[in-house]
Structures are given as C-alpha cells and as structure tokens.
Amino acid sequence: MNAPDPSKVLGYAPMDAVHAEFDELVGRALACPDDALLPCLERLREHLLAHFGQEDDWMRKTAFPAADCHIDEHGKVLASADQVLALVARGDVAIGRSFAAELEHWFPGHADYLDSALAAWMCKRQFGGKPVVLHRRPSHA
C-alpha cells in the first residue's frame, strides 16, 4: 500500500492509512483494462465495506455528534457500489469507469468535511487534543 498523500493527511493515522488505500484502489479501477474492471471494482467495494464500517464503528462507539449524516453518506455510496457492480457484471464497463471517476471526485469533499471532523474527534478522545497537520506549500521557483 502507498503512503498517504501528504496533502490529504487528516492527522489520525488509522484513517490516513485507509484513505491512502482508497486512493490507490480508485486509481487502479480508473487505469485497469476493461477485462479487469469488475475485479478492481469488487476489491474497491470490499475496501469500502471495511473502510466505512470502521469509521461507522468509531462514530457509534464514541457518540460522535455528526454520526447520522456521515453514516448515511457511507450507506448511499455502498448502495451505489452494489448497483454499479451489478451493471458492470452485465457488461456495462462505462458505468464502472464513471463510478470510479465519481468516487475520485467525491472523496476529497467527504474527507475535508466529514472525515476531518471525525479525525479531530478521535484524536481529542485518544490524545486529548486535535491533530496538528503541517502541509508544505509548493515552491514557486
């Protein structure tokens, strides 16, 4: 698995690691040949089940205030994944590619708004404070 993209790090290591895996699997689904798309999307769905399940569990166990909205969004993505996998299994490769592209587009906003709040919540509960994340600015040479 690749290391987390430093520009996407939220400061809660378990979440950052699973996000890096998500990025890697979406990238594979976007780049794989058509005959490998279904297995790539199946692997991505397995990841989503584990990824969202872990976050949902954290939210429930710690009484995270915004859990309902966050868990609901996870459920909608999983429902879409199930629908897309069924269509790809019947030969609709285009919908599978579109789904992977939409996940790539959707995820940064989800991470910035919902996951960052959860990361701060988890760090505060575990370490007593919010995470400090330093991002390098691109040099303009």
Side-chain angles (χ1 to χ4, degrees):
M1 179 172 60
N2 293 335
D5 176 343
S7 70
K8 296 179 181 180
V9 168
L10 298 177
Y12 187 59
M15 187 180 289
D16 291 332
V18 81
H19 286 181
E21 182 181 2
F22 171 86
D23 284 341
E24 182 178 323
L25 292 171
V26 168
R28 285 184 195 170
L30 289 169
C32 72
D34 287 351
D35 64 345
L37 182 60
L38 184 58
C40 282
L41 290 176
E42 288 170 338
R43 174 63 187 103
L44 180 56
R45 183 184 175 281
E46 290 171 14
H47 165 86
L48 291 172
L49 284 169
H51 173 167
F52 294 165
Q54 182 178 48
E55 288 182 9
D56 293 356
D57 191 49
W58 290 335
M59 288 185 274
R60 287 185 185 109
K61 284 183 175 177
T62 65
F64 180 62
D68 291 342
C69 174
H70 198 153
I71 290 169
D72 185 55
E73 189 163 302
H74 288 165
K76 289 177 181 174
V77 172
L78 288 171
S80 294
D82 289 341
Q83 293 169 357
V84 167
L85 279 171
L87 293 168
V88 173
R90 289 193 291 247
D92 191 345
V93 174
I95 195 77
R97 300 260 182 229
S98 178
F99 178 67
E102 284 302 317
L103 283 176
E104 183 179 51
H105 177 75
W106 163 80
F107 192 69
H110 177 83
D112 286 348
Y113 295 101
L114 296 177
D115 287 346
S116 65
L118 178 57
W121 176 261
M122 295 302 293
C123 284
K124 186 169 184 170
R125 291 185 60 84
Q126 190 170 352
F127 305 115
K130 291 171 72 173
V132 175
V133 180
L134 304 175
H135 296 281
R136 289 182 184 224
R137 290 186 181 185
S139 61
H140 299 286

